[in-house]
Amino acid sequence: MLFNSIQFGFFFVIVTTLYFVLPHKYRWALLLAASCYFYMAFVPVYILILGFTIVVDYFAGIFIENRQGRKRKKFLIASLIANIGVLAVFKYYNFLDHNLTALLGSFRLENPIPYLNIILPIGLSFHTFQAMSYTIEVYRGHQKAERNFGIYALYVMFYPQLVAGPIERPQNLIHQFYEKHHFDPHRAIDGLKLMLWGLFKKIIIADTCATYVNDIFSNYQNLSGSVLLLGVVYFAFQVYGDFSGYSDMAIGAARVMGFNLMRNFNYPFFSRDVAELWRRWHISLSTWFRDYFYYPLGGSKGNKLFVIRNILIIFTVSGLWHGANWNYVIWGFLNGVWFIPLFLLGINRKNIEIVAQDRFLPNIKEIMQMSYTFLLFSLALIFFRSPSIEDSFVYSKILFSGSFFTIPASQFLGVIPLLVLFNMIEWFSRKKEHALVINHFPVALRWSTYILVGFVIILAFDKNPNAFIYFQF
Amino acid sequence: MKPFFLKILLYLILVSGLVLLYILLIYIRPDLVDAYYYRFTTEKSNSLILGGSRAAQGIKPEVINRMICNDDNKIINHSFALGASSYGPNYLKEITKKLKKESTDGLFIVSVVPWSLATDIANVTDDSTKFFEVEQKVFVGNLESSSTNPNFDYLINHWTNKFEPITRIFKLLTNLGGISVLHEDGWLEITTAMDTASNNERIRRSTLEYKDKELKLSDTRFLYLDKIIRYLDDYGEIVLVRMPVSSQMAKIEMEHFPDFDQRIQHIASKYNLPYFDFIKESGKFLTIDTHHLFKEESERFTNMLCDSILSYSKSESSSGKLATVK
């Protein structure tokens, strides 16, 4: 069930209404049942995989809390192995098998390990990482083991963020299931506005860009470098609209019911360097890797070579997290490479606050910095979008050929006014949570904006909606 | 709680109101919807121009109505595009819906293009059963009605870009960029960006697209052309037309389909129909992308076609055919 479908509209209204109608003690059960239904609407049988990790981590949490010393670590490791094992089987097995076949093939040997004919469970990497953060936090003593199995299951399965995040921490989410939420009209309206804006980003920005991107990437060998540059720029907006739109809808849906989910995007395209961009892009994953992988690896405590190693490992593994494909690995590695000069120059934490904090417009230097950062990010996305490494290299080669300096044909320029408008809206909203926080506008203008956004969404609405890119991860 | 629900209700009412206004605009100006819709909102007709996009853009009903058809029997252009109106079961169904079956003195200009009478060698092994337009459930032939305004079946199930009216109004007001205007008589007028880059890109794409196509003439599509002719034969006179293209496209078509003209000639002889083959005039008309005529050239070509029809109707070989025309 996609957020941008009519079914979800009905589902959301029914679940939210029942949530506030039911007595508090039954609400978690309602949310759990709704989350199961939501997940099973994709591929029902995969709920068994989710069930397996939930059972393992639930008991692992209790055992970790009840034990002392090295035994605690053993249960943590068992839990991590179970979670990573599920990922390994369902996400990485065929990738490894395929590479083994290629490796053995180069020695004219046959690979005896069979290929598994399985479909990747939807959102597997998201809920597995969320489950892992629970046992790690219990192990670290930051979170008490949850005794109510239903509440724990709900922590992993909470439907707004089940299939594409934000990847929540137990400290932020579990206690909220115990809190009694009263219906708050202001909060509900704020949540609905956030959902509306998320839907706008998905349906208007991402899906519009997708038609251009699909056309350009499927026909790139016959197009000029300038058009290919537009292709990666459009894809950057597509991914942003798609994923941040999903996150907005998830956070908004949860907020209507009274839950606060963590922010996942914070205007990443207004970053002045790559480090800032990664602090603003997919924040729940970046911080997950930082807390549970980068710091345990040694983080920034060591000589420069050691830290560079850690940076490259983190970015490369985060690339692999996205997909079992060398393209994603290279994409992650490239982003690590973009990051290193900032670290070497000691400026990777230079830009913390939002750009032009006290000004209306950015200065020339900031415009150059933002453009450069956006371009670096977009160029790496060639590997993210292309079907193979070979395609990525050929795409890059054509992009940087002499035809880069030609004027793109007008048929590829149609989406530019929309993106300019979108960027302007985002720019003027950059100090707020989202673009529809316009309470300072006169009533007529405010209402006109909401109505216009709703109207364009209805116009662009497709009864066969496009899936979200990040569902596949 | 109550103000919350009132606000939500008011919001839904206002958004729905705006949607209704939009539908009203479409009702008043169906030409703003896209390059096909208007044809499904106009009344049925005794006389039709049939074919793909070449005919849609290149044959002007206005000229034919002025030179040939009388006021009670106006012809309309009911051609669409290769992907929608190739001769097959869907198009036959569509013709039966759009034709006013009340008279027998209609005129049917059937434009023949090898690409719309061909099948993909690589993907189709048995072309007797597979029609891409059937599999893809294209709008042509699949609408409940082909003459209703507003045509909700089309608007809900087949309209791909619902912002098109806004874009068109913007382009009409600012005169920016290329635009297609579908006239009430079904003629599609294209005003396109004529900058060198866009023009070259169109020509390059078109040449590439057609040059490497692996198609063969399809017996089944010819069978449907045959069926359409037999069907129309009861309602008036039929002329077969092959329109001129650029010399590059004519060469590509000759290489791909050397026996196409022969097969059309065969059909023309079989049913004693006139076949006006203008492919030999290729290169003498300006095209926007090697095979669609410029809008000014459409006028010139339709005049030439009318002259041919009129000379034929006066000739001995017509044996009284086309006598119903003006």
Side-chain angles (χ1 to χ4, degrees), chain A residues 87-99:
Chain A
L87 266 182
V89 171
F90 286 93
K91 189 161 181 173
Y92 299 106
Y93 175 90
N94 283 338
F95 172 63
L96 295 172
D97 190 48
H98 177 76
N99 282 286

Side-chain angles (χ1 to χ4, degrees), chain A residues 144 161 167 264 267 338 371 434:
Chain A
K144 291 195 84 163
Q161 41 92 243
I167 304 167
N264 219 12
Y267 304 101
W338 299 161
S371 309
H434 59 88

Side-chain angles (χ1 to χ4, degrees), chain A residues 183 185 188-189 192 196 204 215 219 222-223 407 409-412 447 450-451 454-456 458-460 463, chain B residues 1 4-5 7-8 10-11 14-15 18-19 22 156-157 162-163 166 193 195 197-198 201-202 204-205 208:
Chain A
F183 182 77
I189 284 181
L192 290 173
L196 191 68
I204 307 296
D215 187 21
N219 192 32
N222 303 316
L223 297 170
I407 298 167
S410 56
Q411 71 197 81
F412 298 110
W447 272 80
Y450 301 144
I451 291 164
F455 173 68
V456 294
I458 288 175
L459 282 198
K463 61 180 180 169
Chain B
M1 187 90 90
F4 170 79
F5 287 111
K7 271 185 188 175
I8 296 291
L10 180 64
Y11 178 73
L14 289 172
V15 172
L18 202 53
V19 172
Y22 203 62
I156 293 167
N157 298 315
K162 296 185 177 69
F163 293 99
I166 298 169
D195 57 286
S198 301
E201 178 59 24
R202 276 198 306 271
R204 193 188 60 75
R205 275 209 168 202
L208 262 179

Side-chain angles (χ1 to χ4, degrees), chain A residues 31-105:
Chain A
L31 288 181
L32 184 59
S35 300
C36 288
Y37 177 80
F38 180 82
Y39 193 71
M40 289 171 76
F42 294 102
V43 182
V45 73
Y46 280 145
I47 199 155
L48 297 175
I49 301 162
L50 203 52
F52 168 74
T53 55
I54 287 170
V55 170
V56 168
D57 294 326
Y58 170 74
F59 287 108
I62 293 171
F63 291 152
I64 289 167
E65 193 173 70
N66 289 345
R67 302 297 193 280
Q68 300 292 321
R70 291 179 66 185
K71 277 192 176 174
R72 300 175 79 239
K73 198 164 193 172
K74 279 183 183 170
F75 283 115
L76 173 68
I77 290 169
S79 155
L80 295 181
I81 288 173
N83 284 292
I84 295 169
V86 167
L87 266 182
V89 171
F90 286 93
K91 189 161 181 173
Y92 299 106
Y93 175 90
N94 283 338
F95 172 63
L96 295 172
D97 190 48
H98 177 76
N99 282 286
L100 187 64
T101 304
L103 183 70
L104 292 174

